[in-house]
Amino acid sequence: MQKGLFVITGGSRGIGAATARLAARQGWPVVINYRNGVEEARSVVRAIESEGGVAHMVRFDVCDEAAVVSGFSEIDRLGSISVLVNNAGVTKDGLLLRMSEEDFQDVVNTNLTGAFRTAQKSLSGMMKKKSGRVVFIGSVVGLLGSTGQVNYASTKSGLVGMARSFAREYGSRNITFNVIAPGFVETDMTSVLSEELRSKYVSQIPLGRFCSPEEIA
Ligand code: NAP
């Protein structure tokens, strides 16, 4: 595959940052999207450049349709997109009876609608080239369910149907859509877990540990 842009939403931290660094080491020009963490995004760009790679930062909130449209216009000016990794994601955990509709909708808007928006905006260039790769970062909880995460798990299950439907529409144009479903990964997202919950999860993982962002990258 010719190396066009490798775009990663939420590329400023965690799994997204590790993916950006690995892609750049493999010779991809990388675009790191972020929402608030400008310093974190800059430090990923600096790390990539110090290894001789090419990286750009483009700020937009995947929850904001107009910002996504203008973010993708900015990306289109940098080059044509070969790969999109839909990685931006959040949690707002709580037991079902106490979960507000707002907490449900916020997570859906970021993890599911956000992924729809960015995948849709990346397609026109891929269709012209008849080539593209879209990867959604799902989660094992989308397949198994998770106590206190009805919002999060619903979005991660939803990504599977989304990716399969996109694939049916665009597979004939040589664009693939896949979901990676990681288990627990050592990032800011899991650093908030209590020791008790963490030990409970680790006891169920055959490896006996959380994995690193680099392993998912
Ligand atoms: P993280 O360390 O919390 O990083 C999240 C990233 O997403 C940050 O770069 C953040 O940017 C960005 N982001 C969040 N909301 C955004 C928005 N509205 N618009 C644009 N960017 C946004 O998370 P992570 O653990 O690496 O998780 C990355 C993905 O993997 C998520 O989809 C998550 O659900 C999935 N995952 C994680 C685990 C795990 O155990 N960690 C397991 C399975 C799946 P800012 O800092 O600028 O807001």
Side-chain angles (χ1 to χ4, degrees), residues 134 136 158-168 176-179:
V134 179
F136 297 88
L159 289 176
V160 175
M162 186 182 291
R164 289 190 167 138
S165 303
F166 269 112
R168 293 200 181 278
T176 64
F177 299 85
N178 286 284
V179 179

Side-chain angles (χ1 to χ4, degrees), residues 40-62:
E40 286 93 340
R42 266 196 203 122
S43 83
V44 180
V45 169
R46 275 197 294 266
I48 289 173
E49 288 175 347
S50 73
E51 294 178 336
V54 174
H56 309 273
M57 295 162 52
V58 176
R59 183 189 179 278
F60 57 83
D61 182 339
V62 300

Side-chain angles (χ1 to χ4, degrees), residues 8-18 32-38 40-41 58-64 68 86-91 106 109-111 114 118 136-141 152 155-156 159 180-191 193 210-211 213 216:
I8 303 152
T9 66
S12 55
R13 290 190 278 123
I15 294 170
I32 292 156
N33 152 256
Y34 66 101
R35 174 189 49 174
N36 297 321
V38 62
E40 286 93 340
V58 176
R59 183 189 179 278
F60 57 83
D61 182 339
V62 300
C63 298
D64 178 344
V68 174
N86 267 309
N87 167 77
V90 292
T91 51
D106 282 352
N109 200 9
T110 310
N111 299 8
T118 54
F136 297 88
I137 306 298
S139 166
V140 72
V141 308
Y152 182 79
T155 64
K156 296 302 184 181
L159 289 176
I180 308 276
F184 290 93
V185 188
E186 299 283 5
T187 68
D188 294 343
M189 188 175 271
T190 48
S191 66
L193 294 173
F210 284 12
C211 73
I216 303 304

Side-chain angles (χ1 to χ4, degrees), residues 140 144 183-184 199-211:
V140 72
L144 301 178
F184 290 93
S199 308
K200 186 180 145 204
Y201 293 145
V202 167
S203 72
Q204 292 161 7
I205 301 170
L207 267 178
R209 62 171 176 82
F210 284 12
C211 73

Side-chain angles (χ1 to χ4, degrees), residues 1-206:
M1 186 190 246
Q2 220 191 338
K3 286 191 158 110
L5 298 175
F6 191 115
V7 180
I8 303 152
T9 66
S12 55
R13 290 190 278 123
I15 294 170
T19 305
R21 293 189 64 169
L22 186 62
R25 267 182 224 131
Q26 294 178 350
W28 293 92
V30 169
V31 178
I32 292 156
N33 152 256
Y34 66 101
R35 174 189 49 174
N36 297 321
V38 62
E39 275 317 314
E40 286 93 340
R42 266 196 203 122
S43 83
V44 180
V45 169
R46 275 197 294 266
I48 289 173
E49 288 175 347
S50 73
E51 294 178 336
V54 174
H56 309 273
M57 295 162 52
V58 176
R59 183 189 179 278
F60 57 83
D61 182 339
V62 300
C63 298
D64 178 344
E65 164 77 10
V68 174
V69 169
S70 90
F72 272 81
S73 307
E74 196 178 333
I75 294 170
D76 288 340
R77 288 195 290 278
L78 295 169
S80 76
I81 303 172
S82 289
V83 182
L84 170 69
V85 181
N86 267 309
N87 167 77
V90 292
T91 51
K92 283 199 178 178
D93 296 353
L95 292 173
L96 187 53
L97 286 179
R98 276 186 249 136
M99 183 176 289
S100 66
E101 182 158 329
E102 195 187 349
D103 285 351
F104 187 87
Q105 294 290 2
D106 282 352
V107 174
V108 170
N109 200 9
T110 310
N111 299 8
L112 190 63
T113 319
F116 161 77
R117 290 188 187 100
T118 54
Q120 190 190 45
K121 308 299 175 284
S122 70
L123 282 178
S124 63
M126 292 183 184
M127 283 196 298
K128 274 188 216 129
K129 288 196 292 190
K130 289 207 164 42
S131 171
R133 298 284 179 266
V134 179
V135 176
F136 297 88
I137 306 298
S139 166
V140 72
V141 308
L143 310 172
L144 301 178
S146 174
T147 303
Q149 291 196 305
V150 70
N151 48 3
Y152 182 79
S154 303
T155 64
K156 296 302 184 181
S157 307
L159 289 176
V160 175
M162 186 182 291
R164 289 190 167 138
S165 303
F166 269 112
R168 293 200 181 278
E169 283 196 38
Y170 295 99
S172 63
R173 321 262 180 125
N174 191 32
I175 306 172
T176 64
F177 299 85
N178 286 284
V179 179
I180 308 276
F184 290 93
V185 188
E186 299 283 5
T187 68
D188 294 343
M189 188 175 271
T190 48
S191 66
V192 296
L193 294 173
S194 66
E195 268 312 310
E196 189 192 354
L197 212 46
R198 198 183 165 84
S199 308
K200 186 180 145 204
Y201 293 145
V202 167
S203 72
Q204 292 161 7
I205 301 170

